[in-house]
Amino acid sequence: MTTSYDSPLVSAASLSEALASSRPPVLLDVRWQLGGPPGIEDYALGHLPGAHFVALDTDLAAPAGPPGRGGRHPLPDPEEFGAALRRFGVRADRPVVVYDGATSMAAARAWWLLRWAGHPEVRVLDGGFAAWQAAGLPVTAEVPAPEEGDFKPVPGQLPTVDGDGAAAWARSGLLLDARAGERYRGETEPIDPRAGHVPGAVSAPTTENVGPDGRFRPAAELAERFRALGAGEPEIAVYCGSGVTAAHQILALAVAGLPATLYPGSWSEWSSDESRPVAVTDQPG
């Protein structure tokens, strides 16, 4: 692949070259959106040749936890996650490229999980399926034959924090809330039990990480964005609704050269625990 593995992103042109090389990456299609329709429907209409469809709700998450524990998309069981990856042909010695429709909001979850599980070469197709199509590259409805991979997760290769840790982070570091601004401010909450945000968290909607075409903004622009939010000396942790778009924020931070920690339970876990305080304001609170 012509893109350096120092970057978590790959362009459509570079991916096309890599697929024609002697060491082509495994392709994972992670098209998904909150509330549907199911991404498998888009996959069936057309996908990158050789791509395997990954169901975010079942392959990239465990079942939702009880109130106050785990949230809507808990991290998957490592054994089950590894078995799914091996069904998709993921190998320890082969690169992996993940993509979704355009914005990488769902693909970033797969990227983060694979890195957390210890895979050394994972990239996100910048701009997703839309960028691939815009480049005039081939699309197929043919489902690839099953492949047998050998990758075995070694979880914990990327850092995580629980609810208590997130509360402490908001006091002593920089805790970013990746949800839409109106959810952060408590103006609306369409999914989770209570509206608002973790006291001390700073609003940083993930939609501002990408341009109108769904591609990530340049690294320098992202770095400037996060510096304006307080990134620098404080260590950074991120949460969202259920740990999906927070992974997108961590991906954007990685593009900017800034490491960050994920709170997997996120707002769905926090807000379902009545003992935890909630801030309803346009400020960290």
Side-chain angles (χ1 to χ4, degrees):
M1 196 173 295
T2 57
T3 295
S4 165
Y5 273 99
D6 290 335
S7 169
L9 303 177
V10 62
S11 69
S14 291
L15 176 57
S16 179
E17 291 177 14
L19 290 171
S21 73
S22 60
R23 190 170 172 256
V26 175
L27 294 178
L28 302 181
D29 184 312
V30 199
R31 277 179 280 182
W32 173 90
Q33 55 184 322
L34 187 63
I40 188 68
E41 296 179 1
D42 289 332
Y43 175 84
L45 292 173
H47 50 264
L48 273 64
H52 297 267
F53 179 74
V54 178
L56 186 145
D57 288 324
T58 54
D59 294 323
L60 303 182
R69 291 183 57 193
R72 283 184 280 111
H73 288 109
L75 299 186
D77 174 83
E79 291 298 320
E80 294 181 8
F81 180 51
L85 293 175
R86 290 189 292 275
R87 288 197 305 272
F88 304 140
V90 174
R91 301 183 62 84
D93 62 352
R94 261 184 88 186
V96 178
V97 171
V98 297
Y99 70 90
D100 59 25
T103 62
S104 303
M105 295 290 176
R109 170 76 173 202
W111 167 82
W112 186 92
L113 279 171
L114 278 156
R115 295 295 313 280
W116 167 80
H119 199 289
E121 295 184 275
V122 189
R123 290 294 175 269
V124 175
L125 173 57
D126 195 17
F129 186 71
W132 183 266
Q133 283 189 304
L137 294 164
V139 170
T140 183
E142 182 178 349
V143 176
E147 298 182 63
E148 186 57 41
D150 64 4
F151 179 69
K152 295 182 179 180
V154 181
Q157 305 306 302
L158 290 183
T160 61
V161 67
D162 62 11
D164 290 342
W169 215 295
R171 295 190 297 269
S172 61
L174 177 62
L175 180 64
L176 297 179
D177 184 319
R179 299 172 301 156
E182 59 268 23
R183 290 182 70 192
Y184 171 87
R185 294 187 295 271
E187 296 167 4
T188 183
E189 182 46 66
I191 306 162
D192 294 316
R194 292 185 288 166
H197 61 266
V198 176
V202 174
S203 180
T206 51
T207 51
E208 296 179 20
N209 293 331
V210 298
D213 59 0
R215 301 182 195 187
F216 279 87
R217 293 162 59 183
E221 288 185 19
L222 289 171
E224 182 178 357
R225 180 198 181 205
F226 292 121
R227 281 195 298 269
L229 293 170
E233 287 300 320
E235 294 188 349
I236 305 167
V238 185
Y239 76 93
C240 58
S242 66
V244 174
T245 55
H248 188 274
Q249 195 85 287
I250 291 176
L251 176 57
L253 284 157
V255 172
L258 297 166
T261 294
L262 176 69
Y263 172 24
S266 284
W267 186 247
S268 57
E269 178 183 78
W270 183 283
S271 64
S272 65
D273 184 344
E274 292 291 339
S275 71
R276 295 201 180 277
V278 168
V280 182
T281 173
D282 62 354
Q283 299 297 319

